[in-house]
Amino acid sequence: MEQHTDRKTGVIPLSQEEVLCKILVTSDIHGYIYPTDYRTDEERPLGLAKLATLIRRERMHTPGLLLIDNGDVIQGTPLCTFHVKNHPNDVHPSIAAMNLLGYDAAVPGNHEFNYGQELLGKAIKDARFPWLSAGILTEETGETAFGKPYVVKTTPEGVRIAVLGVTTHYIPHWEHPRHIAGWTFQDALETVKTWVPRIREAEQPDLMVVSYHGGFERDLATAEPTERLTGENQGYAICLEVPGIDVLITGHQHRMIAGEVGGVTVIQPGTGGQALGQISVRFKRGADGQWSVRNKTAELLVPDAALEADAEVLELARPLESATQAWLDQPIGRVEGDMTIMNPFACRLADHPFMEFVNRVQMEAAGVEVSNAALLSEASKGFADSITLRDVLTNFMYPNTLTVLRLIGKDIREALEQTANYFVLDAGGEIAVNPAYIQPKAQHYNYDMWEGIEYELDITRPVGQRVVKLTRNGAPLQDEADVDVVMNNYRAGGGGDYEMYRGKPVVKEIQTDMAELVAEYIQRYGTIHATCDGNWRVVKGSP
């Protein structure tokens, strides 16, 4: 039968007894509206403006389709940073674009909390769509902190689609306590187990969708664990342990997934606007007049360089984008010597001038003599010659603050053993990156490099026994010796499986984010010097 789109409904009628509905999904946009590489100002095939072209195209064929965002939308680019620092009272550019595109619902991701409750509250207030997260409750009342745990959309044909929102409950392990004060984070899996049957009974939807800002903890084909089963990601368990779910939208891991797990259609559309997720569901009407799911498919619609970005979305953000680009190009200082990173892997094998600089900024800000820091991105290039704000923000893209913990020597040794897990020996006996830090999600930021101690990691030794040298000021660091160590707040909370930090005394918190600390340091000194004292290295066999 030839198909004709009814432009007034949200569906493509196949016949009076069949109907095809679509759900479009974005996730982990992280403030990428323009298709811009902020390191170079070059155009790339990403961003919400490009996805908007695909969204409008799909709406031409399926008007009224559901459009859902799965979280991490207001943080992640210099555009967002510039907005927060200079125009916090304006509507966030991501929210303005989502309002323009007519989103039906959004789920808060973990990075929605990075700027604190006031900015998050304003983003929610400014949105012309509901925010859904069933597992985040207010301590005072026990009610959902974001108003609605779920929504139900009904098509003109009477097809009822329920969307339950849920956010990874692991947020308190990373986020600054003041940013989440007054809220409790219930286990996401248990929350879904509670709400799905409740929604099924109360609403009797024809399609049950769970939009989960979290990812998969197991390989989708083999069911083998792909990470430590901490509860940060529970997508696989949700599919297999909760009856009644038809579709699971996921995110957080920045993966590109479209498929099925245990009969549940699953999707995850990457990060930064890499792809638009599309769920297509065909319904059939039974003799009793009720709709039932006939089949479901998931696919990723990937923009390419030839796809024109949506002009209206671009124009909406243009003033802020232009101001951001001008701000990024402001020179703030210069480097004497070489602080460039030519090879991120080599940077992690031995002390490097850029990482020494990062640690020295942290130590000066905190007033302590020991620090650890990570190279946050494989795209980090360090500093060369003249330094601009663009250089700073592209090396320090997360709004991390600093925390000083009081540790003992034993804690530091355990932390170094955890860091050493980043490496393995490959088939040829050469040092290589542990695959667990690459797949299913790149986690290079969980490898730390230290200043203020001297150490050596031997990757030929068994896991847990790789620290073959650990001294401070040339003397062995004793297990019970007290040491105040500065690190970012994510790590201080135990993020990245650094369990030895949990519950340790907090000596000091520096509330200024790291990018601002680095910019202020460079502006204060004008010229920074590339130095390297060679206090640590990774080896293959110790003398």
Side-chain angles (χ1 to χ4, degrees):
M1 176 182 293
E2 184 178 358
Q3 298 181 18
H4 297 280
T5 301
D6 183 336
R7 297 185 178 275
K8 294 184 179 180
T9 70
V11 297
I12 302 173
L14 305 179
S15 72
Q16 291 185 346
E17 305 304 324
E18 293 186 16
V19 68
L20 179 66
C21 298
K22 289 186 178 182
I23 303 169
L24 299 184
V25 176
T26 57
S27 189
D28 298 88
I29 293 293
H30 283 291
Y32 277 95
I33 298 175
Y34 267 62
T36 301
D37 183 335
Y38 284 98
R39 297 166 300 167
T40 63
D41 198 20
E42 296 175 343
E43 182 170 323
R44 294 179 58 199
L46 50 69
L48 188 55
K50 288 229 174 194
L51 297 190
T53 299
L54 298 177
I55 290 168
R56 294 189 194 274
R57 182 180 299 173
E58 291 303 317
R59 278 206 173 118
M60 290 179 64
H61 302 294
T62 315
L65 47 72
L66 291 185
L67 178 57
I68 298 169
D69 183 77
N70 194 51
D72 280 3
V73 71
I74 67 171
Q75 176 277 337
T77 59
L79 180 74
C80 295
T81 302
F82 184 80
H83 164 79
V84 170
K85 290 183 176 298
N86 297 281
H87 302 283
N89 295 323
D90 293 347
V91 177
H92 192 286
S94 294
I95 302 301
M98 293 167 72
N99 285 341
L100 176 67
L101 293 170
Y103 273 74
D104 292 285
V107 175
N110 53 296
H111 284 289
E112 256 66 73
F113 299 86
N114 287 169
Y115 295 123
Q117 295 189 8
E118 183 176 351
L119 190 137
L120 174 55
K122 186 176 189 315
I124 292 170
K125 180 181 178 181
D126 289 338
R128 296 201 292 265
F129 48 83
W131 290 74
L132 316 174
S133 196
I136 304 177
L137 309 180
T138 60
E139 291 179 353
E140 186 175 345
T141 66
E143 298 177 350
T144 52
F146 296 93
K148 293 183 177 182
Y150 71 93
V151 293
V152 178
K153 299 287 184 176
T154 304
T155 73
E157 288 75 12
V159 176
R160 291 172 55 80
I161 301 174
V163 181
L164 170 68
V166 65
T167 305
T168 176
H169 60 273
Y170 219 61
I171 290 171
H173 290 279
W174 311 309
E175 194 54 70
H176 196 289
R178 78 174 184 275
H179 290 172
I180 55 176
W183 293 333
T184 61
F185 292 76
Q186 295 189 321
D187 184 282
L189 174 61
E190 297 304 317
T191 298
V192 176
K193 286 181 177 179
T194 297
W195 277 97
V196 167
R198 185 182 300 180
I199 295 169
R200 281 285 188 189
E201 180 178 358
E203 306 289 353
Q204 298 184 4
D206 301 302
L207 190 75
M208 183 70 236
V209 178
V210 175
S211 188
Y212 167 51
H213 189 82
F216 292 98
E217 72 281 26
R218 295 180 182 273
D219 185 277
L220 273 59
T222 67
E224 290 297 315
T226 53
E227 62 187 35
R228 290 185 61 207
L229 302 180
T230 61
E232 176 182 350
N233 298 298
Q234 299 173 300
Y236 197 91
I238 289 173
C239 289
L240 267 65
E241 297 182 22
V242 187
I245 300 174
D246 298 301
V247 174
L248 178 66
I249 297 166
T250 64
H252 185 54
Q253 293 173 314
H254 299 178
R255 298 169 66 185
M256 301 275 275
I257 296 171
E260 185 175 291
V261 176
V264 178
T265 301
V266 299
I267 200 154
Q268 187 173 144
T271 181
Q274 286 177 298
L276 179 68
Q278 179 173 269
I279 306 289
S280 300
V281 185
R282 192 186 303 263
F283 294 90
K284 184 176 179 63
R285 195 196 303 269
D288 58 358
Q290 299 298 310
W291 294 103
S292 61
V293 176
R294 183 173 176 182
N295 59 51
K296 304 170 291 171
T297 59
E299 63 179 314
L300 297 173
L301 308 180
V302 180
D304 57 28
L307 182 72
E308 292 288 335
D310 183 83
E312 196 172 359
V313 172
L314 291 179
E315 188 58 35
L316 187 69
R318 189 180 307 281
L320 191 67
E321 175 72 14
S322 297
T324 299
Q325 293 293 345
W327 176 64
L328 287 175
D329 287 330
Q330 296 176 22
I332 59 173
R334 60 179 295 273
V335 175
E336 184 175 283
D338 187 3
M339 219 178 265
T340 57
I341 298 171
M342 304 303 294
N343 184 329
F345 179 75
C347 178
R348 297 186 178 100
L349 288 176
D351 194 18
H352 186 281
F354 179 75
M355 293 310 304
E356 182 163 308
F357 165 77
V358 174
N359 276 311
R360 292 198 181 282
V361 171
Q362 293 189 173
M363 289 189 291
E364 181 173 302
V368 299
E369 297 179 348
V370 181
S371 170
N372 67 53
L375 184 64
L376 297 177
S377 169
E378 296 304 271
S380 294
K381 300 300 181 185
F383 296 143
D385 302 325
S386 177
I387 306 171
T388 66
L389 280 173
R390 187 185 303 277
D391 298 320
V392 173
L393 289 174
T394 52
N395 280 288
F396 302 92
M397 67 289 295
Y398 302 113
N400 291 324
T401 56
L402 298 179
T403 300
V404 177
L405 296 183
R406 181 152 295 159
L407 306 178
I408 59 174
K410 181 174 181 290
D411 299 324
I412 293 175
R413 182 176 291 274
E414 290 179 2
L416 289 172
E417 292 289 358
Q418 174 61 33
T419 276
N421 290 339
Y422 178 79
F423 294 112
V424 295
L425 295 179
D426 64 18
E430 297 300 319
I431 299 174
V433 178
N434 186 337
Y437 286 76
I438 302 173
Q439 296 293 339
K441 176 186 178 181
Q443 299 180 58
H444 302 288
Y445 51 80
N446 282 329
Y447 175 82
D448 287 339
M449 292 160 275
W450 292 64
E451 196 64 35
I453 57 174
E454 304 86 41
Y455 64 95
E456 198 168 282
L457 308 177
D458 182 357
I459 308 307
T460 66
R461 296 175 65 87
V463 170
Q465 302 175 34
R466 291 175 164 179
V467 180
V468 294
K469 173 186 175 181
L470 177 55
T471 62
R472 186 179 181 200
N473 299 323
L477 181 60
Q478 301 300 317
D479 279 356
E480 299 306 316
D482 286 335
V483 184
D484 289 351
V485 181
V486 61
M487 62 192 76
N488 70 44
N489 62 301
Y490 169 77
R491 186 71 78 240
D497 296 330
Y498 286 79
E499 299 291 334
M500 71 293 301
Y501 295 152
R502 297 195 194 282
K504 297 299 178 181
V506 175
V507 177
K508 184 186 299 184
E509 293 178 316
I510 294 90
Q511 304 300 343
T512 307
D513 73 62
M514 190 58 187
E516 188 170 338
L517 287 173
V518 170
E520 288 176 352
Y521 184 99
I522 296 169
Q523 289 171 318
R524 183 164 64 252
Y525 289 101
T527 297
I528 59 174
H529 301 272
T531 62
C532 189
D533 61 8
N535 65 300
W536 66 271
R537 64 176 183 159
V538 177
V539 299
K540 188 180 65 173
S542 55

